[in-house]
Amino acid sequence: MDWRTSNDMIARRVAAMRERFEDLKEKDLYFYNQPISELRGGASVIVNGREMGMYASYSYLGLVGHPRINQAAQDAVAKYGTGTHGVRSLAGTLDLHLELEDTIAEFKHADAAVTFTSGYVTNLTVVSSLMGRGDYVFSDKLNHASIVDGCIMSGAKFRRFRHNDMAQLESRLSKVPSGVSKLVVADAVFSMDGDIIDFPKIVEICKKHNAWLMIDEAHSLGVLGKTGRGIEEHFDLPGTIDIKMGTLSKTIPSVGGYVAGDKDVISYLRHASRAYIFSAALPPAQAAAANESFKVILDEPWRIEKLNANTEQFISGLQARGFDTMQTETAIVPVLCGSDEKAFAVTGHAQKNDLFVLPVVSPAVPVGLARLRATVLAAHEPDQIEYAMDVIAEAGKQFGII
Ligand SMILES: Cc1ncc(COP(=O)(O)O)c(C=O)c1O
């Protein structure tokens, strides 16, 4: 049976996806889901038996594999085992969870914090628990999928505004009937483009229109601000975010998500959010690793300084070689290639030359804006970054990008 002509939509979707990936595999252009078999310091990994420079990691400060963090995880396994006794509200809470939540609240200069088992789930459950029918939620067009899904799930009126377009946000807010609850949500650093939300303006607009402000710090925790505390520190605007969301899977080398904020809001989330009530707690090793990571960030400030220097070298070096790196100001560096085919070809060249870097293509980004989504880390050394840029530039020339 030919599924392409079948009336069964499920089968048609599955077949279309299979065909797309089979075609890429035949051309040796399928780069996803490659297993890493070993860490080699913070800057390299073993993939398919070869050591490769890591330019696709979220471990911005190079903390994955840090001895103190590994030790904290091992100690937690020895003390508590590998799992919990279920959901947080019943038998799942460990003293470790409360310790981690206190650490996060202190780090984020908030009253309190609550954790969940992934960043994705955090956005889903937090937006949908706070918002409901009759409310309005406003979301930047480039916000992460988990925010979009949370907005849809909430049942609130969902309004998107053009990326970083504060005039459009304000115009949309001004059309909301009075007396209605409003939430504005945005990424601090955008996960595909690496640019930063116009934070001073979004804060001002939210205040003016009496809207709650939620900021997702997945890619700004440990990255923005002198001590890595994030976007409020970066702009010197303390205490301006109502719902401070972040993940424990990027700079923090663990897994999970958190929200920090007012203690009554946090308590509400502990009693109303379905992901907290109906899903098992973070495992002990991951909670302990996350807790130790916040301490390491404060104890080793050189990592943030090195990340900033490496980011500057990587962005300016790629631009000097003729690449368009879009609006990035952070460690996420899009290297614009144009067509999906060109992005795959550049990736192939980079991987053959021992750079583990990955492409982002449509529909994750608009057609024509396919790119390498390269990341630079505190763990890289300047000569490694020069090598990476030279390899990418060779491919750029070969495939007519620069
Ligand atoms: C901006 C943003 N928010 C949320 C998430 C989801 O976080 P996690 O991977 O920890 O589930 C991501 C992950 O890529 C992200 O980039």
Side-chain angles (χ1 to χ4, degrees):
M1 174 167 191
D2 185 354
W3 292 112
R4 279 167 301 191
T5 54
S6 156
N7 285 332
D8 181 340
M9 283 311 296
I10 299 174
R12 280 172 66 170
R13 273 183 211 118
V14 171
M17 187 65 86
R18 192 195 62 223
E19 276 174 20
R20 186 171 185 203
F21 290 122
E22 272 175 4
D23 181 50
L24 287 172
K25 280 177 185 166
E26 260 167 39
K27 295 178 180 148
D28 210 13
L29 291 176
Y30 181 82
F31 302 106
Y32 302 108
N33 300 303
Q34 294 184 72
I36 290 169
S37 54
E38 212 180 304
L39 282 180
R40 285 284 163 91
S44 303
V45 287
I46 304 288
V47 183
N48 298 324
R50 276 162 54 214
E51 181 163 343
M52 299 177 94
M54 173 50 104
Y55 289 85
S57 172
Y58 297 137
S59 184
Y60 300 115
L61 295 182
L63 294 181
V64 65
H66 191 291
R68 263 175 68 185
I69 299 170
N70 285 0
Q71 190 60 52
Q74 283 159 12
D75 292 348
V77 172
K79 192 166 172 196
Y80 303 91
T82 53
T84 63
H85 302 273
V87 302
R88 287 288 304 274
S89 338
L90 300 178
T93 294
L94 304 173
D95 49 4
L96 269 183
H97 293 121
L98 302 183
E99 222 180 287
L100 169 61
E101 287 162 354
D102 283 349
T103 299
I104 294 171
E106 204 178 303
F107 192 87
K108 294 302 301 172
H109 293 153
D111 277 0
V114 56
T115 53
F116 301 90
T117 43
S118 84
Y120 179 88
V121 148
T122 304
N123 278 330
L124 208 63
T125 204
V126 168
V127 177
S128 62
S129 307
L130 289 172
M131 306 304 286
R133 272 179 228 302
D135 302 334
Y136 279 69
V137 60
F138 299 84
S139 169
D140 186 288
K141 273 213 170 134
L142 292 192
N143 276 348
H144 191 258
S146 53
I147 296 176
V148 175
D149 293 354
C151 293
I152 292 169
M153 198 168 129
S154 73
K157 290 199 169 31
F158 180 27
R159 301 284 183 264
R160 302 214 286 171
F161 55 94
R162 278 191 299 269
H163 177 48
N164 236 338
D165 186 337
M166 294 300 126
Q168 192 178 53
L169 169 62
E170 177 144 39
S171 139
R172 300 232 146 137
L173 275 166
S174 64
K175 296 195 177 94
V176 176
S178 62
V180 171
S181 293
K182 301 172 282 276
L183 174 71
V184 174
V185 201
D187 288 1
V189 168
F190 288 87
S191 58
M192 293 292 154
D193 292 29
D195 57 337
I196 303 174
I197 190 75
D198 183 348
F199 188 65
K201 196 72 192 164
I202 208 167
V203 166
E204 183 195 313
I205 291 173
C206 286
K207 263 199 199 125
K208 183 170 156 198
H209 291 271
N210 202 20
W212 289 59
L213 177 61
M214 172 167 171
I215 298 288
D216 176 335
E217 298 234 48
H219 300 280
S220 54
L221 183 79
V223 172
L224 292 187
K226 196 167 181 311
T227 63
R229 284 185 162 83
I231 197 160
E232 287 183 336
E233 183 180 35
H234 180 76
F235 285 99
D236 196 16
L237 287 168
T240 44
I241 303 173
D242 300 299
I243 313 287
K244 303 171 192 229
M245 182 272 170
T247 61
L248 302 174
S249 61
K250 297 181 169 51
T251 292
I252 305 293
S254 182
V255 72
Y258 70 82
V259 163
D262 172 81
K263 69 177 181 348
D264 290 335
V265 172
I266 299 304
S267 173
Y268 169 80
L269 291 172
R270 279 191 207 284
H271 298 97
S273 62
R274 293 165 81 82
Y276 189 91
I277 301 168
F278 296 111
S279 185
L282 267 182
Q286 300 316 125
N291 190 41
E292 191 65 18
S293 305
F294 285 96
K295 295 176 183 163
V296 171
I297 293 174
L298 295 178
D299 290 345
E300 299 181 2
W302 61 266
R303 288 179 183 273
I304 297 170
E305 284 158 29
K306 188 144 174 252
L307 178 65
N308 288 337
N310 286 354
T311 299
E312 161 63 27
Q313 183 191 349
F314 198 46
I315 297 175
S316 61
L318 286 165
Q319 286 175 351
R321 284 166 176 82
F323 285 106
D324 182 350
T325 57
M326 304 179 77
Q327 306 297 318
T328 186
E329 297 174 65
T330 67
I332 298 171
V333 183
V335 183
L336 203 60
C337 296
S339 66
D340 291 2
E341 290 69 26
K342 282 189 180 177
F344 288 132
V346 175
T347 305
H349 181 84
Q351 295 211 358
K352 277 190 196 106
N353 286 280
D354 300 329
L355 297 185
F356 193 71
V357 66
L358 290 162
V360 181
V361 299
S362 61
V365 290
V367 172
L369 293 183
R371 63 196 73 171
L372 295 190
R373 182 181 174 279
T375 54
V376 68
L377 314 174
H380 291 132
E381 294 305 330
D383 58 328
Q384 295 173 323
I385 298 171
E386 287 301 313
Y387 171 75
M389 293 190 295
D390 286 344
V391 167
I392 296 169
E394 274 165 25
K397 282 187 195 131
Q398 193 177 330
F399 301 111
I401 298 165
I402 52 173

